[in-house]
Amino acid sequence: MSSRIRALAILELLAQFPSGLALRDIAARLAIPVSATDRLLAGLADGDFVTIDQGSGLIRLRVRLAALGLAYLGASGITDLVQPILDDLAKRTGELVRLAVVEGDRLTWVAKSQSTRSGLFYTPDTGTEVYLPATANGQAWLACLPNSEVQRLVEKQGIKTSGVGPNAPNDIVSLRSQVEIARAQNFATVTEAYEIGTSAIATAIRRRGQGTPVGTVSVAGPTIRMTASRMAEISPWLLSSAEELGAASASSPLFAFP
C-alpha cells in the first residue's frame, strides 16, 4: 500500500472518531507499522489536515478537511438539487432519510435529512462506506447487479460475524435470498439487521429511471415505528423520491462515479 493510500485511509478512519484516536490505535486498526503511521501523521499535520493534542496525544481531523467536503458537496448540487428532495421525504415519513452514491466498488454515505416530528430519533453509528450485506441501501444496490457482481462485491467487503443486528445475513446464501426479494419488489427492507431495534427501507437511484444505479436512498427509524406495514406505506413515497433524485443526478457531478 502506497503512502498516499495509507494517508487517505487514516483520514477515513479519523472521520469516524471526532474525539480522536491515539497513534497506536490508528496503526493497529489500519495494520500499518507505528513508525510509518507516525511519519504519515506528521505530514498530514503539516498540511493542516489533522491536529495532534499535546496533552492527550489524540489525533483528530482539523476543520479544513470538513470544509473541503462541504465545499464539494455544495458545488455538486446537494444543497440546491438533492437536499430539498431528502427534506420532503423526511417530512412525509417522520424518519431519517439518507442518500448514498456509487463510487466504483463502494457505496458511500453523502447526505441525510432528519424529521423533527417524532421524539425518538435514530442516529446510525456508521462510517462513510455503506456495509452492503446488512443495510437496506446495500441490498437495494446489490439487487440491481448480476449475481456474479454481488458475489464479488460482498467477498471484497467481507461479511461481518459480529457488531451487527441479529437478522444480518451471515453468509452469501442468506444474503442472496434477501437480494432476490428486493429485486422482485424494487426496494429492500431490513429489520434489526444492521442494528438492534432499527429498520429501514431503501431503493436504487437511476438516471431517468433506467441503467446502472448511481446511488440509493433510504428511510430508517426505530422498529417500533418502522413496522412492515409502515414500510409498505412509505414505499411509494420512497420510489417517487428516487425518481426525482434520478432526474437531479443528470445535473450533479456528485453522481458522476457509477
Side-chain angles (χ1 to χ4, degrees):
M1 185 186 299
S2 70
S3 59
R4 291 187 181 89
I5 297 299
R6 284 177 167 178
L8 290 172
I10 289 173
L11 294 176
E12 286 190 330
L13 176 64
L14 290 175
Q16 302 174 45
F17 295 91
S19 298
L21 286 174
L23 167 64
R24 291 188 177 276
D25 287 337
I26 296 172
R29 287 173 180 271
L30 297 177
I32 302 173
V34 173
S35 57
T37 304
D38 192 32
R39 289 194 299 272
L40 290 167
L41 286 169
L44 290 170
D46 288 342
D48 288 332
F49 291 107
V50 303
T51 181
I52 304 173
D53 187 274
Q54 298 303 314
S56 65
L58 294 178
I59 296 98
R60 296 188 297 273
L61 291 181
R62 295 194 69 122
V63 175
R64 179 185 180 189
L65 193 63
L68 288 172
L70 290 173
Y72 169 73
L73 290 178
S76 71
I78 276 283
T79 303
D80 297 331
L81 296 174
V82 174
Q83 195 64 50
I85 300 172
L86 303 182
D87 292 343
D88 179 67
L89 184 57
K91 184 178 179 180
R92 277 187 169 193
T93 62
E95 303 294 352
L96 173 67
V97 173
R98 303 185 80 191
L99 171 71
V101 297
V102 176
E103 294 184 297
D105 288 348
R106 297 174 54 165
L107 194 59
T108 303
W109 300 115
V110 294
K112 66 179 180 180
S113 182
Q114 175 77 69
S115 169
T116 58
R117 247 174 38 198
S118 52
L120 182 60
F121 292 111
Y122 167 47
T123 305
D125 181 17
T126 61
T128 57
E129 184 176 359
V130 178
Y131 176 57
L132 303 179
T135 60
N137 291 75
Q139 291 187 16
W141 181 37
L142 295 176
C144 301
L145 306 175
N147 286 334
S148 59
E149 189 69 356
V150 172
Q151 178 98 21
R152 185 184 70 82
L153 290 172
V154 172
E155 286 181 351
K156 181 176 181 180
Q157 190 178 53
I159 295 183
K160 296 180 181 180
T161 56
S162 62
V164 290
N167 296 328
N170 53 20
D171 55 49
I172 192 67
V173 174
S174 57
L175 173 60
R176 277 181 176 171
S177 66
Q178 295 186 28
V179 168
E180 286 300 328
I181 294 173
R183 282 178 180 151
Q185 58 191 13
N186 201 26
F187 58 82
T189 61
V190 297
T191 298
E192 297 195 326
Y194 188 73
E195 287 182 305
I196 296 175
T198 64
S199 298
I201 178 173
T203 193
I205 300 166
R206 302 173 189 264
R207 288 196 181 98
R208 300 179 182 86
Q210 56 188 350
T212 303
V214 294
T216 59
V217 59
S218 64
V219 179
T223 300
I224 192 171
R225 288 199 305 262
M226 290 287 286
T227 60
S229 60
R230 177 57 177 162
M231 287 192 282
E233 181 182 356
I234 287 172
S235 62
W237 302 336
L238 178 71
L239 294 171
S240 176
S241 296
E243 287 186 9
E244 290 185 68
L245 290 166
S249 70
S251 303
S252 173
L254 182 69
F255 298 94
F257 308 101

